[in-house]
Amino acid sequence: MTTAFSKIFERINIIQVAFYLIACYFTILLLTSISFLFNSYWLLQYSCVLSLLAVAVAGFFIDYKKQSKPVFTDTILNIGAFLAILLLLTLLSVLFWDNTYDGQTYHLQAIDELAHGWNPLHTESTNIFVTYYPKAFEKFGAAVFECTGEIETGKVSGLMLVTAACLLAFSYFKHLFPGKKILWFVFTLLLVINPIISTQNFTFLIDGQLASIFLILIFSFLLYLKQARFSLFIWLLTLAICIDLKFTGLVYAGVFQLFAGAYLLFIRFRLSRLFQFVAFNVLLLGLSIFVISNNPYYTNIKSGKHIFYPVLGTHSVNFMAGPNSPASFQYRNRFSKFFIANFSRSGNVHGALVAPEPELKIPFFLSLKEFTVFKSGSVLYGGFGPLFGGILIVSFLLILYILTLPVKNKREFLLLCLFLLVTIFLNPECWLARYVPQLWYLPVLLMIFIKWSGYLSKMLTSVNNFVFVLTAINGCIIFAISMASNLIITNQIRSEYAWMKSSGKEVALVTGVFKSTAYRLEKYQINYQRIDSADRAKYTGYYVFNPISSKSEILIPESVKPYEPGKFFSMLESYIKTK
């Protein structure tokens, strides 16, 4: 039986399954964007079903074209694996509820408005960020919400991207380290335990998706160089998602195309391949800006605004003010802010109106409490973990040492390092870890390169193993804390709404920016009415209840006994808040 299953798994083409996951995401974006262009809401409603049909048709077409005698049982296996993974990821997305500020406010507001017929090409939202920010995640979330009726399933797109990244990295490591299965798994794991992915995968935040996109683009290009021409389509579809995900996505996509084109021109020159690559990328860029991401890029240009409005241009919004950045960073350049943030104690805002100042520390020195801040999806300082500052220093020294060694493919690796550094320091707020999730890959890819180079210096091997162990410990602890805390907080949220439901009383929800509260009240079938904050005084005989991880105000009748969290949760929360 085991042998039969192993043979079945061996027949599954994991690169093709990764393609299906990415193609599903891309197709939904394309269909929803077309629905806005033609004001056809039904296309958004059925985009999930249509995308699955498109993936199935593409699967049979791909196998028909690449084989003289297509084995369609393999096609069915690949599509079956894709559907099984998609179902599992959807179930996981419901298991954990989002508890982040941005996720429960403007990201969820955008999903809600799109799912209820809002067309961003015709009208503006009440929220400037909803109106003008790119909307890949929100369009996908609205389409999935329309299909499942469960708002939390909109988070599945992040899980799809990290799964695709795992499959592509694993496939490449099979080529890079033939026969060394343990390395395939270990290096893949080390890449995807990126703290930004770990802390955001089960939230409505999107920086973790960008981290996965970096991996997909790097490994799809590397596979493309190994004659896996099919990987070019993965590259192109992922670029389109990247452009539509964030403003920085458009910039990063341009840098990816520039470096990849330069590599094909100066290092691996072949005219036919270069022409094919450039032609497809130019077409993709046009499709992205004028169709898939026409709002905001094309609409901003058309209306005379900066292409990245409201982040840049006239009447731009300073979104880094207040709790998002310490006062001392106001007059510092990006390099000094980057250094301070990455060599400080891991810390967060913890609900303060003003960001606390960073606390510099000696690299590799830490307190275990530094890890507790990673229950948050946006850690302010030391966002890659308490050990990462020391890891960065050792990695930098290793790169300098490698420059002196006669190792193969050194030029290509240094070009990859240069590419990562350019994408990092292009962002003026590169000090904030979630804005540059690709920084995690610099030391990890360095470890992989040293292992692959075969250079058997005892000193180099020992230092590389030291960095590997520290990186694994750092990433695994953050992953475990993030998963555990998300599960604990989700159970606490459910417990609070179950308490309100059990009271049998009607409550009043004060209108606010947190959109998740109304959905959760409706999910638990709790009778409620929305009121403006100005009407709160009319509700005598009520007390205010604030759900965990939310600033919503719910007015509860005084006849209802106040909610009491479990002793374990109270103890844990008290420990985390204590300095």
Side-chain angles (χ1 to χ4, degrees):
M1 182 69 73
T2 306
T3 307
F5 274 116
S6 64
K7 286 183 178 179
I8 290 173
F9 281 118
E10 286 173 5
R11 289 174 62 183
I12 295 173
N13 186 325
I14 61 174
I15 296 180
Q16 212 156 308
V17 174
F19 168 76
Y20 294 154
L21 289 166
I22 295 162
C24 179
Y25 196 152
F26 170 83
T27 307
I28 288 176
L29 295 188
L30 181 62
L31 291 173
T32 53
S33 299
I34 292 172
S35 78
F36 300 148
L37 284 170
F38 294 98
N39 205 24
S40 302
Y41 177 62
W42 69 268
L43 200 53
L44 183 146
Q45 288 179 299
Y46 295 104
S47 58
C48 277
V49 175
L50 293 173
S51 70
L52 293 177
L53 289 173
V55 166
V57 171
F60 282 98
F61 179 77
I62 290 165
D63 284 343
Y64 176 78
K65 293 293 289 183
K66 75 179 184 180
Q67 299 175 18
S68 55
K69 292 183 178 180
V71 182
F72 287 128
T73 52
D74 288 353
T75 309
I76 294 170
L77 274 177
N78 291 331
I79 294 174
F82 155 69
L83 292 174
I85 290 171
L86 190 59
L87 177 61
L88 175 63
L89 298 181
T90 304
L91 294 174
L92 280 174
S93 68
V94 179
L95 181 63
F96 298 88
W97 287 7
D98 179 61
N99 57 67
T100 63
Y101 184 93
D102 286 356
Q104 294 180 86
T105 54
Y106 80 86
H107 286 297
L108 195 59
Q109 180 182 345
I111 292 173
D112 175 75
E113 292 184 6
L114 290 170
H116 287 90
W118 174 55
N119 188 333
L121 297 183
H122 291 178
T123 57
E124 292 188 359
S125 169
T126 55
N127 188 313
I128 189 173
F129 300 121
V130 172
T131 299
Y132 291 104
Y133 272 15
K135 300 174 181 65
F137 172 73
E138 290 80 5
K139 288 188 286 190
F140 184 94
V144 174
F145 176 37
E146 276 293 306
C147 182
T148 64
E150 171 58 68
I151 192 78
E152 296 286 343
T153 56
K155 306 192 302 287
V156 73
S157 54
L159 298 174
M160 290 167 63
L161 288 176
V162 73
T163 303
C166 282
L167 295 174
L168 291 172
F170 188 82
S171 179
Y172 184 73
F173 292 142
K174 287 174 71 174
H175 290 289
L176 202 63
F177 303 103
K180 298 180 180 179
K181 292 185 179 181
I182 186 67
L183 293 183
W184 308 345
F185 287 99
V186 168
F187 285 143
T188 300
L189 177 65
L190 208 57
L191 286 166
V192 298
I193 57 171
N194 184 326
I196 311 305
I197 296 176
S198 297
T199 56
Q200 293 193 9
N201 249 346
F202 295 101
T203 73
F204 288 110
L205 301 181
I206 58 177
D207 309 289
Q209 292 200 26
L210 189 63
S212 299
I213 283 172
F214 261 82
L215 284 181
I216 294 168
L217 289 172
I218 288 170
F219 285 104
S220 62
F221 184 71
L222 291 173
L223 287 166
Y224 173 65
L225 295 176
K226 286 188 172 291
Q227 305 303 317
R229 297 297 179 87
F230 180 66
S231 300
L232 178 59
F233 293 102
I234 296 177
W235 163 278
L236 293 169
L237 300 188
T238 306
L239 275 180
I241 297 170
C242 183
I243 291 169
D244 199 30
L245 187 68
K246 296 189 70 171
F247 281 136
T248 50
L250 176 58
V251 178
Y252 292 150
V255 178
F256 262 109
Q257 291 173 318
L258 180 65
F259 272 77
Y263 181 82
L264 292 175
L265 178 63
F266 297 111
I267 299 177
R268 293 281 290 272
F269 178 74
R270 206 165 78 197
L271 185 60
S272 59
R273 173 180 280 190
L274 179 63
F275 178 79
Q276 176 197 57
F277 185 82
V278 171
F280 275 122
N281 275 270
V282 169
L283 289 172
L284 182 279
L285 201 58
L287 177 67
S288 293
I289 292 177
F290 295 105
V291 179
I292 297 174
S293 310
N294 50 16
N295 173 267
Y297 299 119
Y298 175 68
T299 52
N300 270 349
I301 296 170
K302 186 179 178 182
S303 61
K305 296 182 176 69
H306 194 286
I307 190 171
F308 295 139
Y309 178 82
V311 177
L312 296 174
T314 308
H315 306 302
S316 60
V317 178
N318 180 14
F319 58 93
M320 293 304 295
N324 295 322
S325 178
S328 62
F329 278 13
Q330 184 177 354
Y331 305 105
R332 293 187 179 275
N333 62 45
R334 68 189 70 192
F335 301 104
S336 62
K337 290 189 289 186
F338 175 87
F339 177 86
I340 292 169
N342 282 287
F343 292 95
S344 292
R345 286 170 51 89
S346 295
N348 216 346
V349 178
H350 293 303
L353 296 177
V354 178
E357 290 297 325
E359 300 176 40
L360 286 169
K361 68 170 191 176
I362 300 172
F364 299 122
F365 281 73
L366 73 152
S367 67
L368 291 178
K369 286 201 64 174
E370 281 189 76
F371 282 108
T372 62
V373 301
F374 290 93
K375 69 185 181 76
S376 167
S378 177
V379 176
L380 208 59
Y381 312 120
F384 289 102
L387 296 172
F388 193 72
I391 291 168
L392 271 183
I393 292 173
V394 178
S395 298
F396 177 71
L397 295 175
L398 280 176
I399 291 174
L400 293 179
Y401 181 59
I402 285 173
L403 287 172
T404 67
L405 301 178
V407 293
K408 58 183 177 180
N409 292 103
K410 180 169 65 175
R411 178 178 54 174
E412 287 84 347
F413 173 71
L414 293 175
L415 183 65
L416 178 58
C417 291
L418 177 62
F419 159 75
L420 288 173
L421 290 172
V422 168
T423 61
I424 289 164
F425 288 109
L426 267 177
N427 192 327
E429 305 298 341
C430 57
W431 63 273
L432 189 55
R434 71 184 182 98
Y435 286 168
V436 286
Q438 66 271 31
L439 176 59
W440 177 260
Y441 304 133
L442 195 61
V444 178
L445 291 173
L446 172 63
M447 284 180 253
I448 296 168
F449 175 73
I450 290 173
K451 185 69 178 177
W452 170 78
S453 70
Y455 194 81
L456 299 178
S457 161
K458 187 174 180 180
M459 187 274 290
L460 183 62
T461 303
S462 299
V463 175
N464 197 44
N465 290 340
F466 172 71
V467 175
F468 168 78
V469 170
L470 287 182
T471 306
I473 291 172
N474 188 74
C476 288
I477 292 177
I478 290 172
F479 175 78
I481 285 175
S482 177
M483 291 290 287
S485 60
N486 277 345
L487 191 57
I488 291 168
I489 292 171
T490 297
N491 288 334
Q492 180 71 9
I493 295 170
R494 287 176 172 147
S495 175
E496 291 176 350
Y497 285 88
W499 160 72
M500 282 185 271
K501 173 66 176 176
S502 66
S503 73
K505 302 291 185 180
E506 183 180 81
V507 301
L509 173 63
V510 180
T511 303
V513 295
F514 277 78
K515 305 301 176 184
S516 57
T517 311
Y519 273 107
R520 290 165 184 173
L521 288 169
E522 290 165 11
K523 181 179 178 66
Y524 276 82
Q525 298 179 334
I526 298 168
N527 293 324
Y528 77 99
Q529 53 180 303
R530 295 175 188 265
I531 64 169
D532 292 328
S533 57
D535 296 327
R536 282 177 54 185
K538 299 177 183 178
Y539 282 76
T540 56
Y542 286 75
Y543 64 88
V544 177
F545 175 72
N546 301 110
I548 186 175
S549 300
S550 168
K551 292 186 178 179
S552 291
E553 292 185 340
I554 302 176
L555 304 184
I556 310 287
E558 288 181 349
S559 59
V560 177
K561 183 180 178 182
Y563 177 78
E564 294 183 5
K567 290 183 179 179
F568 172 75
F569 180 83
S570 299
M571 180 184 68
L572 190 65
E573 190 71 6
S574 175
Y575 172 75
I576 290 171
K577 287 182 178 179
T578 304
K579 288 190 177 182

